Amino acid sequence: MWLREELKTLHTFLRALIEVLVLRAEHEVDILMPGYTHLQRAQPIRWSHWLMSYAWALQRDLERLDELSTRVNVLPLGSGALAGNPFNVDREFLAQELGFAKVSDNSLDGTSSRDYIAEFLFWASMNAVHLSKLAEDLILYCSKEFGYVTLSDAYSTGSSLMPQKKNADSLELIRGKAGRVFGQCAGFMMVLKGLPSTYNKDLQEDKEAMFEVYDTMTGILQVATGTISTLTVHPEACVAALSSDMLATDLAYYLVRKGVAFREAHGLSGAAVALAEQGKKSISQLALVELKTISSVFDEDVAAVWDYESSVQQYSAYGGTSRESVLQQVSSLKTWLQIH
């Protein structure tokens, strides 16, 4: 009963975090920034597209939480020690009075099953992983090496020695707590895996894991919401981090639109990158005559490739980083939240 009720609290906190991400994504949709793979700048994207990537991950967590709530809402009362109840207790009436959706179907299983706790611990582990990844991105983005965002003073601290520092302690603690949460999940699964059927005293270990993980998750969800809602994004720094080499794929797309097979276009774009490196210049600084030494398909209109806004706008299929696509994602998630 305790977990059933407290899952509603977690639902409220997680939903609030998603709402903050969606709201910022809607209001800051025109900010461009680098997208990363392998922690290297890859292609231009929208800041809002990055925000929505975590909103959708957390939406799946909220779905899982609601599904978990259904399986938690089962009453084992009336299972006895293991064989059931000999006094013809109306278990369905008890379930109704206590607000449970159903009763457990087998007394042996009812006395020993801790599936719902293991599932809660997994849910928390998955949610904590998503929060840890979000925290790690922002830890990087608020460093002087990136400078994309600044955290509120309420969610950062100064150094005990170096007065110039502003540390992302709130985010680092979220990242650190994720390991603790998963540790409780893994530990409890190891308790369960060696047990014979019905009740064994080992099962009392479920309480420590459940209570600690619940306390941790309520804390880090609120800290994440506060951090995201109060941070300041710096559009000029995000745009300044873009570079024309991030449009090398766009150069390949340009050739594809001219009728070149992508496999060949990829190689030709790579040749342009190599030529720029040899000349110690950016790829956008290559003259048309230089590009034509690579392929005669290049023409005057290749200059249009070197526009970051046009680059992100071409990804117009649903799920992409164009303005319209991101706002469509925002609308979809807002609609989903209205009924959850």
Side-chain angles (χ1 to χ4, degrees):
M1 290 179 65
W2 179 86
L3 182 59
R4 183 187 65 183
E5 296 307 309
E6 295 308 320
L7 290 181
K8 297 174 185 176
T9 302
L10 290 171
H11 182 283
T12 299
F13 289 153
L14 179 53
R15 191 179 187 280
L17 175 55
I18 297 171
E19 287 176 337
V20 165
L21 289 165
V22 171
L23 184 64
R24 291 205 74 140
E26 185 175 29
H27 290 170
E28 298 166 344
V29 69
D30 293 319
I31 300 173
L32 303 186
M33 66 177 289
Y36 294 83
T37 64
H38 308 280
L39 206 56
Q40 299 182 63
R41 290 182 294 180
Q43 291 179 306
I45 61 170
R46 294 188 183 277
W47 158 253
S48 291
H49 196 50
W50 176 84
L51 289 170
M52 289 303 297
S53 72
Y54 283 105
W56 284 115
L58 297 174
Q59 180 265 350
R60 295 192 299 275
D61 291 336
L62 194 57
E63 277 188 329
R64 277 188 283 267
L65 186 62
D66 289 344
E67 293 163 1
L68 167 61
S69 298
T70 301
R71 287 185 283 280
V72 168
N73 201 23
V74 177
L75 179 70
L77 186 63
S79 297
L82 75 162
N85 188 287
F87 299 108
N88 199 29
V89 169
D90 187 344
R91 298 184 67 211
E92 297 289 350
F93 175 76
L94 287 174
Q96 183 178 355
E97 288 294 296
L98 294 172
F100 285 89
K102 60 173 291 188
V103 299
S104 57
D105 294 301
N106 181 283
S107 61
L108 298 177
D109 181 53
T111 59
S112 64
S113 174
R114 298 297 186 273
D115 294 6
Y116 65 97
I117 293 180
E119 190 172 355
F120 166 66
L121 297 175
F122 169 77
W123 171 84
S125 297
M126 192 73 260
N127 184 224
V129 164
H130 289 147
L131 295 176
S132 180
K133 287 166 61 68
L134 170 63
E136 173 62 14
D137 275 354
L138 287 174
I139 288 168
L140 291 172
Y141 293 169
C142 73
S143 67
K144 291 188 184 300
E145 285 73 15
F146 286 75
Y148 299 165
V149 301
T150 298
L151 300 188
S152 164
D153 288 347
Y155 293 95
S156 54
T157 63
S159 167
S160 59
L161 177 65
M162 298 164 281
Q164 83 280 8
K165 292 194 67 184
K166 185 175 183 178
N167 298 325
D169 281 10
S170 58
L171 298 170
E172 292 173 5
L173 290 170
I174 290 172
R175 187 177 59 186
K177 290 294 185 183
R180 288 280 298 272
V181 170
F182 178 71
Q184 287 285 16
C185 180
F188 186 58
M189 291 294 286
M190 290 305 98
V191 170
L192 293 178
K193 66 95 180 172
L195 297 184
S197 62
T198 72
Y199 184 75
N200 296 270
K201 198 65 172 178
D202 315 51
L203 291 173
Q204 70 178 4
E205 295 298 318
D206 64 352
K207 308 301 186 297
E208 179 182 348
M210 179 177 66
F211 292 143
E212 180 181 321
V213 167
Y214 171 79
D215 288 344
T216 298
M217 295 309 299
T218 55
I220 65 176
L221 281 168
Q222 291 178 86
V223 170
T225 301
T227 304
I228 297 293
S229 63
T230 58
L231 66 79
T232 301
V233 60
H234 304 297
E236 67 288 348
C238 294
V239 172
L242 298 172
S243 56
S244 59
D245 61 298
M246 299 173 66
L247 301 174
T249 305
D250 296 63
L251 191 64
Y253 292 159
Y254 167 87
L255 293 169
V256 169
R257 293 185 177 105
K258 295 281 188 176
V260 179
F262 182 78
R263 180 167 57 183
E264 181 183 354
H266 184 276
L268 295 172
S269 177
V273 171
L275 183 61
E277 289 177 348
Q278 290 170 11
K280 300 188 184 307
K281 61 178 76 171
S282 70
I283 189 172
S284 62
Q285 293 175 322
L286 290 174
L288 178 59
V289 64
E290 293 177 290
L291 290 172
K292 280 188 172 293
T293 64
I294 296 170
S295 172
S296 61
V297 176
F298 286 114
D299 209 340
E300 294 286 348
D301 58 353
V302 72
V305 169
W306 315 119
D307 182 81
Y308 300 122
E309 182 68 31
S310 296
S311 176
V312 297
Q313 280 300 98
Q314 70 184 317
Y315 300 104
S316 56
Y318 182 71
T321 196
S322 73
R323 192 178 196 277
E324 295 72 22
S325 178
V326 171
L327 290 177
Q328 190 178 2
Q329 292 176 54
V330 167
S331 177
S332 295
L333 195 41
K334 283 174 118 180
T335 300
W336 186 86
L337 287 169
Q338 288 175 359
I339 57 176
H340 293 82

